[in-house]
Amino acid sequence: ARRLLNQAVDPRAGGPVDQQVVRQLTKLADEMLFSPKIVRDDPLVIRHVVQAGDNLQKIANLYKTTVPLICRVNNLANPNMIRQGQPLKVILGPFHAVVRKGEFRMYLYCQDTLVATYPVGLGAEDTTPTGQWKVINKLTNPTYYDPRGGGVVAADDPENPLGEWWLGLEGVEGEAVGQQRYGIHGTNEPDSIGRDLSLGCIRMHNQDAERAYEMLIVHDSVVTVKD
Protein backbone atom coordinates (compact mmCIF):
# COMPACT_ATOMS: atom_id res chain seq x y z
CA ALA A 1 0.00 0.00 0.00
CA ARG A 2 2.78 2.42 0.85
CA ARG A 3 4.60 1.69 -2.39
CA LEU A 4 1.46 2.22 -4.49
CA LEU A 5 0.55 5.44 -2.71
CA ASN A 6 4.10 6.71 -3.13
CA GLN A 7 3.88 6.06 -6.87
CA ALA A 8 0.61 7.96 -7.02
CA VAL A 9 2.03 11.25 -5.76
CA ASP A 10 5.34 12.94 -6.51
CA PRO A 11 5.98 16.40 -5.02
CA ARG A 12 9.42 16.25 -6.66
CA ALA A 13 7.74 16.73 -10.05
CA GLY A 14 5.71 19.67 -11.27
CA GLY A 15 1.96 19.89 -11.07
CA PRO A 16 -0.52 19.69 -8.20
CA VAL A 17 -0.04 17.34 -5.26
CA ASP A 18 -2.90 15.22 -3.97
CA GLN A 19 -2.82 16.09 -0.28
CA GLN A 20 -5.19 13.26 0.61
CA VAL A 21 -2.60 10.76 -0.66
CA VAL A 22 0.13 12.66 1.19
CA ARG A 23 -1.86 12.38 4.42
CA GLN A 24 -2.21 8.63 3.93
CA LEU A 25 1.54 8.28 3.35
CA THR A 26 2.44 10.30 6.43
CA LYS A 27 -0.06 8.30 8.50
CA LEU A 28 1.58 5.07 7.33
CA ALA A 29 5.01 6.51 8.15
CA ASP A 30 3.90 7.37 11.68
CA GLU A 31 2.62 3.82 12.14
CA MET A 32 5.38 1.89 10.34
CA LEU A 33 8.54 4.02 10.67
CA PHE A 34 8.34 6.51 13.51
CA SER A 35 7.08 4.03 16.09
CA PRO A 36 8.81 1.16 17.91
CA LYS A 37 6.93 -1.39 15.76
CA ILE A 38 8.90 -3.24 13.08
CA VAL A 39 6.79 -4.35 10.13
CA ARG A 40 8.05 -7.57 8.55
CA ASP A 41 9.97 -7.08 5.28
CA ASP A 42 9.86 -3.28 5.48
CA PRO A 43 12.78 -2.23 3.24
CA LEU A 44 13.19 1.07 5.11
CA VAL A 45 13.88 -0.52 8.50
CA ILE A 46 16.45 -2.86 10.02
CA ARG A 47 16.67 -4.57 13.40
CA HIS A 48 20.18 -3.90 14.70
CA VAL A 49 21.47 -5.94 17.64
CA VAL A 50 23.97 -3.93 19.67
CA GLN A 51 27.48 -5.37 19.44
CA ALA A 52 30.46 -4.94 21.77
CA GLY A 53 31.97 -1.51 21.10
CA ASP A 54 28.79 -0.07 19.59
CA ASN A 55 27.47 3.35 20.46
CA LEU A 56 24.49 5.16 18.95
CA GLN A 57 26.59 7.52 16.84
CA LYS A 58 28.46 4.59 15.31
CA ILE A 59 25.16 2.86 14.57
CA ALA A 60 23.65 6.06 13.13
CA ASN A 61 26.66 6.55 10.83
CA LEU A 62 26.42 2.95 9.63
CA TYR A 63 22.81 3.34 8.48
CA LYS A 64 22.94 7.05 7.43
CA THR A 65 20.51 8.16 10.10
CA THR A 66 20.75 10.16 13.34
CA VAL A 67 21.06 9.45 17.06
CA PRO A 68 17.94 11.51 17.94
CA LEU A 69 15.85 9.51 15.47
CA ILE A 70 17.10 6.18 16.82
CA CYS A 71 16.26 7.39 20.33
CA ARG A 72 12.78 8.52 19.30
CA VAL A 73 11.69 5.31 17.57
CA ASN A 74 13.10 3.15 20.39
CA ASN A 75 11.88 5.34 23.27
CA LEU A 76 15.45 5.74 24.58
CA ALA A 77 15.67 8.42 27.25
CA ASN A 78 19.48 8.29 27.47
CA PRO A 79 21.52 7.79 24.25
CA ASN A 80 24.46 6.57 26.31
CA MET A 81 22.52 3.73 27.93
CA ILE A 82 22.57 0.84 25.47
CA ARG A 83 23.80 -2.67 26.17
CA GLN A 84 25.34 -5.50 24.17
CA GLY A 85 22.64 -7.75 22.72
CA GLN A 86 19.95 -5.05 22.85
CA PRO A 87 17.77 -4.95 19.70
CA LEU A 88 17.18 -1.55 18.14
CA LYS A 89 14.87 -0.47 15.36
CA VAL A 90 16.84 1.66 12.89
CA ILE A 91 15.36 3.53 9.93
CA LEU A 92 17.61 3.23 6.89
CA GLY A 93 18.57 6.63 5.53
CA PRO A 94 19.49 8.91 4.13
CA PHE A 95 16.50 11.25 4.29
CA HIS A 96 16.01 14.01 1.72
CA ALA A 97 13.71 17.04 1.44
CA VAL A 98 11.81 18.82 -1.31
CA VAL A 99 10.55 22.38 -0.77
CA ARG A 100 7.81 23.61 -3.11
CA LYS A 101 7.85 27.38 -2.89
CA GLY A 102 4.40 27.85 -4.39
CA GLU A 103 2.92 25.72 -1.60
CA PHE A 104 5.17 26.93 1.24
CA ARG A 105 5.65 23.27 2.06
CA MET A 106 8.49 20.83 2.71
CA TYR A 107 8.17 17.15 1.84
CA LEU A 108 10.55 14.73 3.57
CA TYR A 109 11.61 11.44 2.03
CA CYS A 110 13.23 8.36 3.52
CA GLN A 111 15.29 7.32 0.52
CA ASP A 112 12.57 7.63 -2.19
CA THR A 113 9.50 7.21 0.03
CA LEU A 114 7.51 10.24 1.17
CA VAL A 115 7.17 10.11 4.96
CA ALA A 116 6.42 13.61 6.28
CA THR A 117 5.38 17.10 5.24
CA TYR A 118 5.57 20.47 7.02
CA PRO A 119 4.69 24.10 6.22
CA VAL A 120 7.58 26.53 5.76
CA GLY A 121 8.30 30.23 5.47
CA LEU A 122 10.55 31.55 2.69
CA GLY A 123 12.56 34.56 1.60
CA ALA A 124 10.96 37.94 1.00
CA GLU A 125 10.90 39.07 -2.64
CA ASP A 126 11.67 35.55 -3.88
CA THR A 127 15.10 35.41 -2.22
CA THR A 128 15.11 31.65 -1.56
CA PRO A 129 17.10 30.26 -4.52
CA THR A 130 15.74 27.23 -6.33
CA GLY A 131 17.97 24.27 -7.07
CA GLN A 132 19.65 21.53 -5.13
CA TRP A 133 21.38 21.92 -1.78
CA LYS A 134 23.28 19.57 0.49
CA VAL A 135 23.28 19.74 4.28
CA ILE A 136 26.76 20.80 5.43
CA ASN A 137 26.30 21.38 9.17
CA LYS A 138 23.79 21.11 11.99
CA LEU A 139 23.58 23.14 15.21
CA THR A 140 21.35 23.11 18.26
CA ASN A 141 20.61 26.42 19.99
CA PRO A 142 22.48 28.44 17.35
CA THR A 143 23.74 31.96 17.94
CA TYR A 144 22.35 34.45 15.39
CA TYR A 145 24.71 36.77 13.53
CA ASP A 146 22.68 39.37 11.66
CA PRO A 147 23.95 39.39 8.04
CA ARG A 148 22.89 43.05 7.78
CA GLY A 149 25.24 44.05 10.58
CA GLY A 150 22.54 44.29 13.22
CA GLY A 151 24.55 42.51 15.89
CA VAL A 152 24.49 39.13 17.59
CA VAL A 153 21.62 37.36 19.36
CA ALA A 154 22.66 34.69 21.84
CA ALA A 155 21.40 31.12 21.83
CA ASP A 156 18.21 30.62 23.89
CA ASP A 157 17.42 34.34 23.66
CA PRO A 158 13.69 34.72 22.92
CA GLU A 159 14.66 37.27 20.26
CA ASN A 160 16.80 34.74 18.39
CA PRO A 161 15.09 34.35 14.97
CA LEU A 162 16.63 30.90 14.35
CA GLY A 163 14.80 29.06 17.11
CA GLU A 164 16.64 26.03 18.51
CA TRP A 165 17.58 24.16 15.34
CA TRP A 166 19.80 25.03 12.37
CA LEU A 167 20.75 23.01 9.29
CA GLY A 168 23.31 24.78 7.13
CA LEU A 169 23.00 24.36 3.36
CA GLU A 170 25.40 24.62 0.42
CA GLY A 171 24.04 25.03 -3.09
CA VAL A 172 25.17 22.42 -5.63
CA GLU A 173 22.76 22.80 -8.59
CA GLY A 174 20.60 25.45 -10.25
CA GLU A 175 20.28 28.96 -8.80
CA ALA A 176 21.63 27.58 -5.53
CA VAL A 177 25.13 26.78 -6.87
CA GLY A 178 27.87 28.24 -4.68
CA GLN A 179 25.49 29.69 -2.08
CA GLN A 180 26.46 28.98 1.53
CA ARG A 181 24.65 31.51 3.72
CA TYR A 182 21.27 29.76 3.68
CA GLY A 183 19.79 27.19 6.01
CA ILE A 184 16.73 25.50 7.45
CA HIS A 185 15.82 26.67 10.94
CA GLY A 186 13.12 27.26 13.51
CA THR A 187 11.64 30.67 14.20
CA ASN A 188 10.49 33.01 16.94
CA GLU A 189 7.83 34.35 14.54
CA PRO A 190 5.38 31.49 13.94
CA ASP A 191 3.11 33.80 11.95
CA SER A 192 5.81 34.00 9.28
CA ILE A 193 5.27 30.36 8.31
CA GLY A 194 3.43 30.20 4.99
CA ARG A 195 4.72 33.64 3.97
CA ASP A 196 7.67 35.26 2.19
CA LEU A 197 9.29 37.17 5.06
CA SER A 198 12.77 35.73 5.73
CA LEU A 199 16.13 36.83 4.33
CA GLY A 200 16.09 33.72 2.14
CA CYS A 201 16.37 30.85 4.60
CA ILE A 202 13.71 28.17 5.03
CA ARG A 203 11.81 28.74 8.26
CA MET A 204 9.80 26.09 10.08
CA HIS A 205 7.74 25.89 13.23
CA ASN A 206 10.17 24.90 15.97
CA GLN A 207 8.73 21.43 16.52
CA ASP A 208 8.86 20.80 12.76
CA ALA A 209 12.45 22.05 12.54
CA GLU A 210 13.31 19.54 15.26
CA ARG A 211 11.87 16.74 13.12
CA ALA A 212 13.86 17.87 10.08
CA TYR A 213 16.96 18.02 12.29
CA GLU A 214 16.30 14.44 13.40
CA MET A 215 16.02 13.13 9.85
CA LEU A 216 18.49 15.01 7.65
CA ILE A 217 22.20 14.24 7.93
CA VAL A 218 25.33 16.15 7.03
CA HIS A 219 26.83 15.47 3.58
CA ASP A 220 24.36 12.78 2.47
CA SER A 221 21.00 14.56 2.73
CA VAL A 222 19.89 16.64 -0.24
CA VAL A 223 17.34 19.48 -0.15
CA THR A 224 15.70 20.42 -3.47
CA VAL A 225 13.91 23.79 -3.71
CA LYS A 226 11.37 24.09 -6.51
CA ASP A 227 9.05 26.90 -7.61
Side-chain angles (χ1 to χ4, degrees), residues 11-28:
R12 296 169 293 187
V17 174
D18 188 330
Q19 293 299 324
Q20 183 175 351
V21 175
V22 171
R23 285 192 291 273
Q24 289 296 322
L25 279 167
T26 57
K27 180 181 178 181
L28 284 172

Side-chain angles (χ1 to χ4, degrees), residues 210-223:
E210 181 179 7
R211 292 292 179 248
Y213 188 95
E214 282 182 346
M215 296 184 215
L216 301 175
I217 62 172
V218 173
H219 301 311
D220 289 299
S221 288
V222 171
V223 178

Side-chain angles (χ1 to χ4, degrees), residues 36-108:
K37 179 174 63 176
I38 296 180
V39 178
R40 178 187 290 184
D41 298 326
D42 187 345
L44 301 182
V45 170
I46 194 167
R47 181 177 181 271
H48 177 92
V49 178
V50 176
Q51 306 296 309
D54 271 353
N55 58 60
L56 285 191
Q57 189 60 63
K58 180 179 177 180
I59 296 169
N61 293 344
L62 177 64
Y63 298 112
K64 295 186 183 299
T65 186
T66 69
V67 171
L69 188 54
I70 294 174
C71 287
R72 177 155 72 99
V73 300
N74 291 281
N75 294 323
L76 299 178
N78 186 339
N80 298 314
M81 295 292 290
I82 60 174
R83 66 185 186 281
Q84 185 174 349
Q86 179 179 359
L88 295 173
K89 176 180 179 179
V90 182
I91 302 173
L92 300 172
F95 285 80
H96 305 289
V98 173
V99 174
R100 289 176 51 126
K101 293 171 65 173
E103 298 176 16
F104 294 98
R105 183 156 289 275
M106 174 186 290
Y107 297 90
L108 278 155

Side-chain angles (χ1 to χ4, degrees), residues 121 137-148 151-169 181-190 192-193 198-210 212-213:
N137 59 59
K138 295 168 64 173
L139 299 170
T140 56
N141 295 327
T143 299
Y144 176 68
Y145 300 90
D146 191 333
R148 299 161 298 188
V152 176
V153 183
D156 292 323
D157 188 319
E159 299 301 316
N160 189 317
L162 302 181
E164 297 183 357
W165 313 96
W166 166 268
L167 296 95
L169 302 175
R181 62 185 182 87
Y182 294 88
I184 300 168
H185 61 80
T187 183
N188 65 342
E189 298 179 299
S192 68
I193 304 302
S198 78
L199 295 179
C201 288
I202 300 165
R203 294 182 178 184
M204 306 180 74
H205 290 297
N206 291 320
Q207 66 271 25
D208 297 342
E210 181 179 7
Y213 188 95

